[in-house]
């Protein structure tokens, strides 16, 4: 016998809408971060050496922002619930482990 986590949902409450607004905001932030990762150059000019050649520096900012966006989603129960309902387990190559665990526990197929 499986145990189910049943939640009481009051769709008319302000708290419900505040939580869902925050969940969708975090999901949209991850989608925007993914777009920045796709468009960002791998290296940026970090300065010049004594011969006048450019010293390349890795551009890690967009990747770090994407990691932070995924962590923020995993820390928000409503955002995880939304992604579970959509069966969305990844943003690009970044997995959302909390969603993957929920879907595996429920025995639902994932959409990668």
């Amino acid at each position: 016998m499986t145990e189910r986590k049943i939640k009481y949902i009051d769709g008319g409450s302000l708290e419900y809408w505040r939580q869902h607004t925050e969940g969708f905001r975090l999901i949209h932030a991850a989608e925007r971060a993914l777009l920045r990762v796709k468009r960002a150059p791998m290296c940026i000019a970090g300065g010049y050496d004594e011969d006048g050649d450019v010293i390349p520096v890795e551009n890690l900012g967009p990747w770090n922002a994407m990691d932070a966006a995924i962590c923020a989603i995993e820390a928000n129960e409503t955002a995880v619930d939304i992604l579970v309902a959509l069966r969305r387990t990844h943003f690009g190559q970044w997995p959302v482990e909390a969603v993957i665990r929920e879907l595996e526990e429920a025995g639902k197929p994932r959409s990668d």
Side-chain angles (χ1 to χ4, degrees):
M1 179 176 238
T2 61
E3 291 184 31
R4 295 183 184 210
K5 183 171 60 170
I6 299 174
K7 295 180 184 179
Y8 174 73
I9 298 173
D10 180 8
S13 74
L14 292 176
E15 183 63 19
Y16 170 84
W17 290 108
R18 187 197 63 74
Q19 289 173 354
H20 272 69
T21 300
E22 177 65 11
F24 278 109
R25 186 192 66 75
L26 293 171
I27 292 167
H28 289 294
E31 289 171 347
R32 286 190 306 272
L34 181 60
L35 289 175
R36 284 192 303 274
V37 165
K38 288 180 178 179
R39 287 188 248 156
M42 292 296 292
C43 295
I44 54 177
Y48 298 95
D49 63 10
E50 60 275 353
D51 296 331
D53 296 327
V54 175
I55 301 171
V57 175
E58 283 187 281
N59 184 19
L60 299 178
W63 282 264
N64 292 339
M66 187 67 203
D67 291 337
I70 296 296
C71 287
I73 286 173
E74 289 185 338
N76 185 289
E77 184 179 353
T78 304
V80 170
D81 289 345
I82 292 167
L83 292 173
V84 167
L86 296 172
R87 296 184 182 166
R88 183 171 183 184
T89 58
H90 289 75
F91 285 86
Q93 63 186 8
W94 281 266
V96 184
E97 297 296 335
V99 175
I100 292 170
R101 279 191 306 273
E102 288 283 330
L103 288 175
E104 287 175 352
E105 286 175 9
K108 296 178 183 175
R110 328 183 310 210
S111 64
D112 290 335

